[in-house]
Amino acid sequence: MSAVPGAQKSRRGSRVKLGGSVLAVVLLENGRQLRARLNQLSVNGGLVSLEHPLDEGIKVTVLFHIGSTSFRCPGQMLFPMWATQGCLQPFRFVE
């Protein structure tokens, strides 16, 4: 099939695979803190490895360090995917 003339493709943000080498902390609204590994990062969000999945749609704050820079980003958890150990759960930045 031909593409529709004038239709624009939605462009996804570039992703960087981190291989789980970046440690992160996921802060829940109730004050609970969860350790995670950041596997992928983009301008729209990322993918964290967690021991247990979080509910889809909950608001969190993701803290992580890359190089000498610290990031504290408000986000929202998306639908989790089961992995060999624990789960991989995407999140999107809300600000």
Side-chain angles (χ1 to χ4, degrees), residues 11-62:
R11 291 189 56 156
R12 277 194 338 201
S14 297
R15 296 179 180 185
V16 176
K17 291 191 180 196
L18 304 169
S21 60
V22 176
L23 296 177
V25 175
V26 178
L27 301 174
L28 306 180
E29 287 184 314
N30 65 4
R32 193 169 146 216
Q33 299 179 7
L34 302 173
R35 288 183 174 186
R37 290 192 177 274
L38 194 56
N39 287 348
Q40 287 186 22
L41 190 61
S42 77
V43 295
N44 301 322
L47 182 67
V48 291
S49 176
L50 296 165
E51 190 173 327
H52 300 288
L54 296 172
D55 290 336
E56 181 180 6
I58 66 169
K59 294 188 185 321
V60 297
T61 300
V62 182

Side-chain angles (χ1 to χ4, degrees), residues 46-81:
L47 182 67
V48 291
S49 176
L50 296 165
E51 190 173 327
H52 300 288
L54 296 172
D55 290 336
E56 181 180 6
I58 66 169
K59 294 188 185 321
V60 297
T61 300
V62 182
L63 303 164
F64 58 95
H65 302 282
I66 295 180
S68 61
T69 306
S70 297
F71 295 90
R72 182 181 184 101
C73 308
Q76 182 178 28
M77 300 308 290
L78 302 174
F79 191 77
M81 302 168 278

